[in-house]
Amino acid sequence: MSLELGPALDALRRGEAIGLPTETVYGLAADASRPEAVRRIFALKGRPADHPLIVHVAGAGAIDDWALDVPPAARALAAAFWPGPLTLILRKRPSVPPEVTGGQDTVGLRCPDHPVALALLRAFGGGLAAPSANRFGHVSPTRAAHVRAEFGDAVPVVLEGGECAVGIESTIVDLSGATPRILRPGMLGRERIEAIIGPVQAGVAGDSPRASGTLDAHYAPRTPLLLLPRTALADEATQQQVLGKAVQVLALGQLPEGAPGLALPATPAGYAHELYAALRELDGRAANLLLAERPPETDDWLAIHDRLRRSAAGAGLDAEPT
Ligand code: TXA
Ligand code: MG
């Protein structure tokens, strides 16, 4: 594969932010060692400055450039799942700019499993701070075109990396405390993590580091979104239409007879791959209401439930919170 990395590397070295494909979602990436470059990301996203960013690295060999007191469990997880959709929260080195970590004493590290991201990271040589490339609170991008739609000319360099294979954000595991804890579920599930390091806690504890993906209203379309069981979907769609509301349905496997909308694959991996593109597509159809079918309540759907719940909580709110 021949990759045109020159313009992206030039932009990064000038302290600018670029659109970066990863296997989870597209990131808005800048040089993690330069505070002014990192501040540019926050300005572009409209994100509060106390929300920490993930530092993307070329491999496990870079862990000690950013983190201190790295527990064996962190190295074991990196060995098992990097490159891949797993972010490790570790105690940070003093040299990591506070702009990256939101002033916390921990840093999030991830090695993305995407050929373009890996090639760029290797050529760049340092770490790239990159949140998802969307305006704060809005739906994450899984295509280069989504990034262009979010930022336009404000982010002139967006590397083309095709559709993100995973489609929702990485699993975040906090290894900075006494007990490992999953702060954000992802498609790399708890079982696979526990198979490597033993029991982990899940959910955010009172003293956990902050993770913005854990805010209630997140990943949200602009149209109000309601989550419903399959059995209620068709009736609700009909009732809303009778009330004169334009509805769009997001179904599993197949749309209910006569309902307008989209059907996504009825497998967790297939559904995750399509979810954010589907939310963007439905959001563009000028409906008054999105009705999403509730997926099965099994562990393999956990991360998808998490994103749907937050989408429903934030939907219809102004996409730019204060
Ligand atoms: O898959 C992903 O993780 C994507 C791609 C681009 O890598 N990135 C992503 O970034 O989702 P963002 O900023 O949208 O979400 C990163 C999450 C946030 O919830 C943030 O609070 C959390 O990681 N995070 C980052 N550093 C942290 C830290 N030191 N402690 C706790 N949470 C942290
Ligand atoms: Mg995000």
Side-chain angles (χ1 to χ4, degrees), residues 43-88:
L44 283 164
K45 271 189 72 102
R47 183 178 197 170
D50 63 349
H51 287 232
L53 304 179
I54 295 170
V55 177
H56 295 70
V57 295
I63 290 178
D64 299 291
D65 296 344
W66 302 91
L68 285 175
D69 302 334
V70 179
R75 303 211 193 265
L77 287 175
F81 300 121
W82 280 6
L86 173 69
T87 296
L88 305 175

Side-chain angles (χ1 to χ4, degrees), residues 22 24-27 47 52-54 56 87 89 104 106-108 110 130-132 169-170 172 183-184 209-213:
T22 84
T24 57
V25 300
Y26 276 72
R47 183 178 197 170
L53 304 179
I54 295 170
H56 295 70
T87 296
I89 306 295
Q104 302 182 81
T106 55
V107 63
R110 176 166 115 77
S132 52
E169 300 81 355
S170 59
I172 302 181
L183 297 183
R184 178 176 71 183
R210 294 180 302 273
S212 75

Side-chain angles (χ1 to χ4, degrees), residues 140-230:
S140 301
T142 53
R143 318 272 191 269
H146 297 163
V147 183
R148 288 190 208 99
E150 290 278 330
F151 297 108
D153 294 341
V155 180
V157 182
V158 179
L159 285 173
E160 179 55 63
E163 298 183 1
C164 299
V166 175
I168 66 174
E169 300 81 355
S170 59
T171 306
I172 302 181
V173 182
D174 178 15
L175 294 148
S176 68
T179 328
R181 179 179 289 274
I182 296 177
L183 297 183
R184 178 176 71 183
M187 295 309 284
L188 180 70
R190 178 178 184 163
E191 248 173 64
R192 294 185 61 201
I193 290 165
E194 291 190 327
I196 306 292
I197 62 170
V200 299
Q201 312 266 296
V204 177
D207 58 351
S208 289
R210 294 180 302 273
S212 75
T214 58
L215 290 178
D216 272 348
H218 221 78
Y219 315 112
R222 295 187 168 85
T223 318
L225 183 148
L226 207 59
L227 269 173
L228 292 171
R230 174 98 191 165

Side-chain angles (χ1 to χ4, degrees), residues 249-309:
V249 172
L250 185 62
L252 263 87
Q254 211 179 353
L255 279 168
E257 179 90 23
L262 290 172
L264 297 190
T267 60
Y271 189 99
H273 176 77
E274 297 294 326
L275 174 61
Y276 289 147
L279 287 177
R280 280 171 185 271
E281 160 73 24
L282 295 178
D283 222 9
R285 293 186 185 177
N288 304 109
L289 185 63
L290 307 182
L291 301 175
E293 177 176 349
R294 196 186 296 282
E297 300 284 342
T298 49
D299 281 354
D300 48 350
W301 288 91
L302 186 78
I304 290 163
H305 272 284
D306 173 80
R307 301 311 190 275
L308 281 174
R309 206 162 26 78

